[in-house]
Amino acid sequence: MTDAITLGDQAHVALAAYEDLASLAEDIEDEWTYVTDLSAAWRGRIEAVIDERGTETISAIQVSAISRAVDEIARISDPHRAIDWLSTYPQIVLVTLGEQP
C-alpha cells in the first residue's frame, strides 16, 4: 500500500517548479515587473488553495497530471517561452486540483 499524497504536498511540488519557471522568465529585464507580479499572483492563488484544502488526499491521476505538467515546464529553456507559461501552468495545476483558476 502506498502513502496517500495530499493536495498540499503536490501543490508544493508544483510551486517549486513554478519558482524555477519564474526565475527563467525573469531573465528578460524588460518584463521583470510583469513576471514578478504575475508569478506572485498565481503563487498566492495556489497557496490559498493549500491553506483551504491542503490536507485533502488527491488521486493518483491528479498526481500524475501535475507531475506531467512539472516535467513539461522543466523542459523550457527559452525565457520568452517561460513567460508564456507563467499563466498557463498554474491554471493546469488548479484545474487538476478541482479548482477554478
Side-chain angles (χ1 to χ4, degrees):
M1 180 165 37
T2 60
D3 292 331
I5 296 177
T6 68
L7 182 147
D9 293 338
Q10 198 64 25
H12 284 294
V13 168
L15 282 175
Y18 191 64
E19 291 299 321
D20 293 340
L21 184 69
S23 291
L24 176 61
E26 288 174 357
D27 287 347
I28 307 298
E29 290 182 27
D30 293 343
E31 299 292 340
W32 189 86
T33 300
Y34 171 75
V35 167
T36 57
D37 290 349
L38 183 63
S39 61
W42 283 115
R43 271 193 314 273
R45 175 68 178 99
I46 292 172
E47 288 168 354
V49 172
I50 294 169
D51 290 344
E52 292 173 21
R53 301 180 43 220
T55 60
E56 294 177 20
T57 58
I58 60 174
S59 71
I61 292 171
Q62 289 170 300
V63 172
S64 178
I66 291 174
S67 294
R68 291 181 79 163
V70 166
D71 290 344
E72 183 66 29
I73 65 168
R75 292 185 184 108
I76 297 171
S77 60
D78 175 19
H80 292 95
R81 187 161 177 242
I83 291 172
D84 294 341
W85 275 84
L86 285 177
S87 290
T88 305
Y89 173 76
Q91 292 183 60
I92 292 168
V93 171
L94 289 166
V95 168
T96 299
L97 296 175
E99 291 287 327
Q100 293 290 323

